[in-house]
Amino acid sequence: MRTAATGLLCLAIPAGAFAADDEEDKPAKPAVPNIYLDLRTSYAAIPAGTLGLGFGTTSLSAAFQSLAVRRGTTLPNGLPAAKAIAIDLPLTVDVSDRVSLYGGVSGSTVDIGSGWSSFDITSWNIGVQADLYQQNGGKIPTITLQSTLTQSVPNEQGMTNSFNNILEFDYALDEDETRGWLAGLQYTTATVASPFATIRPNTILYAGGYYQWPSNWKFTGRLGIQSFGGAQFAGRTLAASFTQPTLRLDLDRMDDNDNRLFGITAQIAWTPKPAYQLTLRTPLYAVRN
């Protein structure tokens, strides 16, 4: 019995020491979450007669929707072709590796053929992005939900509220999640503070994939079908309905912890004529883990 007890004691001591070593080897959880200003600068060229702008462009959509409604009585031939520059300034907090909260303001300037307007704050937004399920090497893909509420500024007759929801499935093909397939749905609704104007929903079904090189450059592509219900003002069509393809390409520079350092997005949405958008993402970190 003494021999057995001595043997068990000898085994227990190293096991406890190894357990302590394992605890020390685990990366410490950051005391403060990532906090950054996700600065995005966009340029868009929109053909005449449309408001549908494709993937995740709620700030530009709000600016165009509000402009269209306010000028509805002075646009007898529908919406003219337009160009716009927008800057989004959402303050983002990565609460965990599963949940991010954000909110901020957006400013824009628009040219509808008579020169560029003054640059003004044209909307504010709040939102959340959450992983409802994480793959973590399993067979079920990561499921992410992103919801954004955007309201145009100023708060007066003709202002618009947009509610944008994206449900995305991400199936990683390797343990490090550097390559994989994507599929998803984006659904956007808009309400107008005017009894004479209506904007119908915009829906995008898409699929795509991504690849991240060892140098931490990441490429992502999404190809989808966009269906826009159109917009009316006082019984007159401001923007016609359509169902057409849309394409988005992203190139991002990440760090070793998958924080974005720089990104560029190019998008073409046929509405049915092509609308173009180019976006630069240059996040400004207060805290980066």
Side-chain angles (χ1 to χ4, degrees):
M1 290 179 64
R2 287 179 180 176
T3 304
T6 302
L8 289 174
L9 182 60
C10 292
L11 289 173
I13 292 174
F18 290 146
D21 289 343
D22 289 342
E23 290 296 326
E24 292 177 358
D25 291 340
K26 288 182 180 179
K29 293 184 179 180
V32 181
N34 281 352
I35 302 174
Y36 56 99
L37 197 64
D38 193 10
L39 175 63
R40 301 191 294 266
T41 306
S42 302
Y43 171 81
I46 312 299
T50 186
L51 291 173
L53 296 177
F55 291 103
T57 52
T58 54
S59 62
L60 276 172
S61 294
F64 278 115
Q65 291 165 0
S66 181
L67 178 67
V69 170
R70 288 173 185 150
R71 297 187 58 125
T73 57
T74 62
L75 297 172
N77 298 320
L79 296 176
K83 294 178 288 185
I85 296 174
I87 296 178
D88 299 321
L89 298 166
L91 180 64
T92 305
V93 179
D94 294 337
V95 179
S96 68
D97 64 343
R98 300 176 68 112
V99 179
S100 296
L101 304 175
Y102 54 90
V105 297
S106 302
S108 64
T109 173
V110 179
D111 179 10
I112 57 174
S114 56
W116 290 95
S117 66
S118 60
F119 187 89
D120 295 312
I121 299 299
T122 49
S123 66
W124 59 263
N125 63 77
I126 56 172
V128 58
Q129 178 173 311
D131 289 345
L132 306 181
Y133 178 85
Q134 290 185 330
Q135 182 178 353
N136 290 331
K139 299 298 183 182
I140 301 176
T142 296
I143 304 172
T144 302
L145 176 65
Q146 181 179 7
S147 296
T148 307
L149 175 65
T150 305
Q151 180 176 300
S152 65
V153 175
N155 187 352
E156 61 183 22
Q157 183 81 2
M159 77 169 193
T160 61
N161 286 310
S162 298
F163 191 42
N164 187 59
N165 294 283
I166 302 173
L167 183 66
E168 185 169 86
F169 299 84
D170 176 351
Y171 185 79
L173 298 175
D174 61 353
E175 186 178 352
D176 293 332
E177 300 182 353
T178 59
R179 54 193 177 92
W181 300 108
L182 299 171
L185 166 69
Q186 176 178 303
Y187 183 73
T188 307
T189 59
T191 58
V192 186
S194 170
F196 307 107
T198 57
I199 301 173
R200 299 192 180 279
N202 186 55
T203 304
I204 300 177
L205 285 170
Y206 65 90
Y210 58 90
Y211 183 84
Q212 185 170 332
W213 286 270
S215 60
N216 285 335
W217 284 98
K218 182 177 182 180
F219 174 78
T220 307
R222 295 175 177 86
L223 177 63
I225 296 294
Q226 178 177 211
S227 180
F228 177 52
Q232 290 78 38
F233 183 85
R236 187 164 49 85
T237 298
L238 280 178
S241 61
F242 63 84
T243 299
Q244 294 288 338
T246 183
L247 173 68
R248 171 174 165 173
L249 304 174
D250 294 90
L251 182 63
D252 296 296
R253 171 67 171 174
M254 317 296 286
D255 66 10
D256 291 335
N257 296 311
D258 279 341
N259 298 307
R260 181 184 287 105
L261 302 178
F262 169 81
I264 182 169
T265 298
Q267 182 177 174
I268 304 175
W270 286 265
T271 61
K273 293 182 179 180
Y276 303 96
Q277 183 176 327
L278 184 68
T279 302
L280 296 178
R281 298 185 70 168
T282 50
L284 305 175
Y285 286 90
V287 178
R288 178 161 63 96
N289 297 306

